[in-house]
Amino acid sequence: MMPPFRVPPMIRNLVRAGALGAAAALLLGSAAHAADIASLPHDLSPWGMFKNADIVVKVVMAGLALASLATWTVWLSKTVELRRETARARDGLAKLETDTTLAELGRSSEGAHDAVSQLIQTAAREGSLSGWTFDADFKERVALRLERAEAAMSRKIARGTGILATIGAVAPFVGLFGTVWGIMNAFIGISEAHTTNLAVVAPGIAEALLATALGLVAAVPAVVIYNYLVRAIAAYRALLGDASAQVLLLVSRDRGRSARQMRAG
């Protein structure tokens, strides 16, 4: 009968040492994994990402937020202004449809500041300077005055809309700059930490995506609101054109009355 095989003490010690080393490595790996999870950013809300962002990305985000605020401010103010001025222009057109004279309308519109009243006043001013003498060039002089007044009021009503076009054109590129800067920060973090761990990459990527989102949030409404205001301003200018045409018709009627009175006299 063969004697039982005995493992040499040296081998038993080596096996025990290997088992202990594997357990230690497993524990160290678990501890490192737990540390990595603990180091992951916990607050990935928009405000949390803004607070933890690089100073350049913060400036970009703040600028885009201000641009978005400016967009909605312009929309509110210009919408109220356009509705008020459009209603006044329609009321002024109704006054021009009445059977009256330019001199009477000029006196009744004194002190008024709406667009149609301004057109009436500038035409009445030319009549006063001409001594209410309806010569051959009177209508042409009135037309030139009306054209200048209409252009001035068109510029006034369109004031402030240019910023919307600027925001709509520039905001996506500003957001893209923030995106590029955030990606750069992510790669710099990888290089410094010598690891591609999510805890290193996630903050920069999150900042980059937030900057892109803010750029779109600022640009898209600006473009939509700008197009809406352009259409509304075009409709308002059409009303001013109708008012100018009505004033010229009034001048023609006054000239006809004057001619009939001279023939009758």
Side-chain angles (χ1 to χ4, degrees):
M1 183 176 180
M2 295 181 61
F5 177 76
R6 293 183 178 180
V7 179
M10 183 179 296
I11 295 178
R12 286 201 303 270
N13 292 335
L14 289 175
V15 171
R16 289 173 183 172
L20 290 174
L26 182 61
L27 290 174
L28 290 175
S30 299
H33 181 68
D36 291 340
I37 293 177
S39 62
L40 283 172
H42 294 287
D43 188 7
L44 287 180
S45 64
W47 177 246
M49 287 187 288
F50 174 78
K51 290 192 298 183
N52 297 322
D54 183 79
I55 183 62
V56 175
V57 182
K58 281 184 178 179
V59 171
V60 169
M61 292 181 184
L64 291 173
L66 291 176
S68 181
L69 178 62
T71 295
W72 292 107
T73 302
V74 170
W75 168 77
L76 181 61
S77 62
K78 299 307 291 186
T79 299
V80 172
E81 182 183 2
L82 277 167
R83 288 183 179 179
R84 182 182 67 246
E85 294 300 325
T86 299
R88 290 179 176 178
R90 293 184 188 279
D91 294 339
L93 278 172
K95 288 193 302 183
L96 286 172
E97 292 289 345
T98 58
D99 186 13
T100 184
T101 63
L102 180 61
E104 292 174 353
L105 278 179
R107 287 191 295 268
S108 64
S109 63
E110 287 181 357
H113 300 287
D114 61 283
V116 176
S117 295
Q118 293 293 322
L119 293 175
I120 294 172
Q121 290 171 22
T122 191
R125 175 65 176 167
E126 180 59 35
S128 176
L129 292 174
S130 301
W132 298 105
T133 302
F134 299 97
D135 54 16
D137 297 329
F138 178 73
K139 188 175 181 180
E140 182 179 354
R141 294 195 299 271
V142 171
L144 290 174
R145 280 181 172 269
L146 291 175
E147 183 179 352
R148 291 181 58 190
E150 187 178 342
M153 287 180 285
S154 298
R155 290 193 300 270
K156 179 181 177 182
I157 200 68
R159 190 179 303 160
T161 57
I163 190 174
L164 298 178
T166 302
I167 292 173
V170 174
F173 296 100
V174 175
L176 180 61
F177 172 74
T179 300
V180 172
W181 196 270
I183 297 296
M184 288 171 55
N185 284 338
F187 281 109
I188 291 172
I190 292 173
S191 175
E192 291 178 349
H194 303 289
T195 179
T196 58
N197 194 297
L198 186 62
V200 177
V201 180
I205 300 298
E207 295 166 14
L209 295 177
L210 182 60
T212 302
L214 286 177
L216 295 176
V217 166
V220 173
V223 173
V224 174
I225 293 172
Y226 176 76
N227 291 332
Y228 162 74
L229 291 179
V230 165
R231 291 191 298 270
I233 290 171
Y236 177 74
R237 286 175 175 170
L239 286 177
L240 295 184
D242 292 341
S244 296
Q246 290 290 340
V247 171
L248 291 176
L249 288 175
L250 188 60
V251 169
S252 295
R253 288 197 295 268
D254 286 351
R255 184 178 179 183
R257 291 193 190 99
S258 177
R260 287 193 298 271
Q261 290 174 359
M262 290 178 64
R263 287 195 298 268

